[in-house]
Amino acid sequence: GEMAMLSTFVTWQLSESMPIGLALVVGAALSFVGGALVERTLIRPMEAKGNPLGTVIITIGLFISMNALIQLIWPPSKAQSNPFSMPKPFPNRGTVEIFGAHLSWFTIWFVIILLIECALLYLLLQKTKLGLSLRAVASNQESSKLVGIDVGKMLMIGWGLAAAIGAVAGVLLASRTNQFDVSMMQFILAYAFAAAALGGFDSPLGAVVAGFIVGVAEALAITYIDAVDGIPI
């Protein structure tokens, strides 16, 4: 979540001097490099020691340090006088009715981009040699080494992909509102864990479907259950 937030602030800074579409592409590319460097310099040395708890502690430290770094570079005091506002990457013109439900075009674009991301990720993982190597490493690292797969390289690429996708998610989330801050991704983590737990931690398709289920369930609960109506979830 904090890596995505850092990428969002970087993309916002880039959007000050270039179109938001180009800033998003450049921000995602920089995030890929940053995610790969994090795996190579921080995660891999600890995993080499065979200490899973140490890896968890490092990720918690990254969470805290990245949040502090963002506040140091882009202090909240600056946001009070000039709120951080992400340019919208696509137009938001009215609503459209689908099966009796009124959806904004902004939400529809969200879904379209999500489906495109899922399709590209599916093609990468299922139809390419790189994707086969990534799935092999995720399934069994020792067996992957025996057949000549560079496990370290695949893990580094995996972290890079996660960071790049997180950058896109962060920018889209920030563009939904008039302004954003350093806490914008924290509540998303709860939804992400819920979707992964419901859909399966080893099933990308299940996590995507579960994400839709969690979102719809939240909307229905707020609308029809008086006990949670008005409570920010």
Side-chain angles (χ1 to χ4, degrees):
E2 304 307 272
M3 291 178 67
M5 184 176 65
L6 176 59
S7 301
T8 300
F9 274 88
V10 171
T11 302
W12 170 81
Q13 191 69 62
L14 291 172
S15 70
E16 297 285 289
S17 57
M18 64 180 67
I20 180 60
L22 179 59
L24 178 56
V25 173
V26 174
L30 292 175
S31 298
F32 181 92
V33 175
L37 287 175
V38 166
E39 190 281 333
R40 184 64 182 87
T41 59
L42 297 176
I43 303 300
R44 190 182 305 184
M46 184 57 65
E47 288 185 338
K49 296 179 180 180
N51 185 358
L53 180 58
T55 304
V56 172
I57 293 174
I58 286 180
T59 57
I60 295 174
L62 279 171
F63 184 95
I64 297 172
S65 60
M66 284 187 177
N67 192 290
L69 177 64
I70 293 169
Q71 295 187 62
L72 181 64
I73 300 175
W74 296 279
S77 57
K78 179 181 177 182
Q80 294 175 0
S81 58
N82 184 23
F84 304 115
S85 180
M86 182 69 69
K88 298 188 183 303
F90 35 74
N92 182 25
R93 300 175 180 174
T95 62
V96 61
E97 183 176 346
I98 301 178
F99 300 112
H102 293 273
L103 298 177
S104 68
W105 275 105
F106 204 82
T107 299
I108 294 173
W109 276 110
F110 257 60
V111 176
I112 291 174
I113 292 175
L114 171 63
L115 294 177
I116 292 174
E117 281 187 340
C118 292
L120 292 176
L121 193 59
Y122 172 82
L123 292 175
L124 172 66
L125 294 177
Q126 300 293 332
K127 303 298 182 180
T128 67
K129 185 177 180 180
L130 173 62
L132 179 62
S133 298
L134 287 169
R135 289 188 289 120
V137 171
S139 176
N140 192 314
Q141 294 189 18
E142 295 301 324
S143 296
S144 299
K145 291 178 182 178
L146 293 176
V147 297
I149 296 176
D150 189 337
V151 173
K153 182 179 179 181
M154 292 302 106
L155 291 174
M156 187 169 61
I157 292 175
W159 270 78
L161 284 173
I165 293 175
V168 176
V171 171
L172 293 179
L173 177 63
S175 65
R176 287 187 59 189
T177 58
N178 293 327
Q179 61 188 67
F180 62 96
D181 56 30
V182 294
S183 63
M184 71 171 199
M185 292 300 296
Q186 293 178 4
F187 76 96
I188 293 295
L189 290 177
Y191 292 122
F193 278 119
L198 181 61
F201 284 97
D202 58 348
S203 173
L205 176 61
V208 172
V209 174
F212 278 107
I213 294 175
V214 170
V216 172
E218 177 204 351
L220 293 176
I222 293 176
T223 302
Y224 295 107
I225 301 177
D226 294 336
V228 298
D229 186 19
I231 299 177
I233 299 180

